[in-house]
C-alpha cells in the first residue's frame, strides 16, 4: 500500500494558496505553530517528496486548518498495492 500525499491540492480546495496562510490557520485554529522551514518540509520542500514522518499533533492541526474531520485524512489517500509500490 502506498500513501499519496496531496497537501497542496487539499490546501487549494480550501482556498489556501500559500504556506504562510496555512501556518496562520494552524496557529489560529489549533494554537499550533510551525516555522517556515517546517511548513516547507510538510509541503514537500524543494524535491516535492512527502514528509517521511509527521507528529500526530501536527496532523491534527493540519486537519483543523483545512476543515477536515479527524476521520477524513484529506491530505493523503491510500492506494492499493502494486508491483511499483510494494515494500
Amino acid at each position: 500500500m502506498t500513501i499519496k500525499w496531496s497537501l497542496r491540492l487539499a490546501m487549494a480546495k480550501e482556498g489556501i494558496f500559500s504556506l504562510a496562510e496555512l501556518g496562520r490557520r494552524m496557529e489560529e485554529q489549533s494554537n499550533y505553530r510551525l516555522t517556515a522551514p517546517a511548513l516547507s518540509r510538510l509541503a514537500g520542500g524543494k524535491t516535492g517528496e512527502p514528509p517521511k514522518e509527521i507528529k500526530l499533533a501536527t496532523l491534527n492541526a493540519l486537519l483543523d486548518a483545512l476543515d477536515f474531520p479527524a476521520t477524513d485524512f484529506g491530505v493523503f489517500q491510500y492506494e492499493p498495492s502494486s508491483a511499483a509500490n510494494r515494500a
Side-chain angles (χ1 to χ4, degrees):
M1 174 175 30
T2 298
I3 296 174
K4 183 178 179 184
W5 187 253
S6 53
L7 177 59
R8 293 283 189 170
L9 181 61
M11 288 170 56
K13 286 180 181 177
E14 292 299 315
I16 303 171
F17 298 100
S18 73
L19 292 175
E21 175 63 20
L22 177 64
R24 279 191 293 278
R25 287 194 189 189
M26 288 175 73
E27 190 166 7
E28 289 170 2
Q29 294 180 10
S30 300
N31 200 28
Y32 191 84
R33 188 171 195 275
L34 286 178
T35 63
L39 284 165
S40 178
R41 285 191 303 273
L42 192 61
K46 292 180 181 180
T47 63
E49 290 291 317
K52 293 183 181 181
E53 61 187 24
I54 184 169
K55 290 183 191 179
L56 288 177
T58 303
L59 182 59
N60 187 51
L62 185 59
L63 294 174
D64 284 347
L66 296 171
D67 293 323
F68 288 125
T71 57
D72 177 9
F73 298 106
V75 295
F76 58 86
Q77 25 183 327
Y78 292 103
E79 293 183 346
S81 293
S82 70
N85 64 22
R86 280 195 186 101

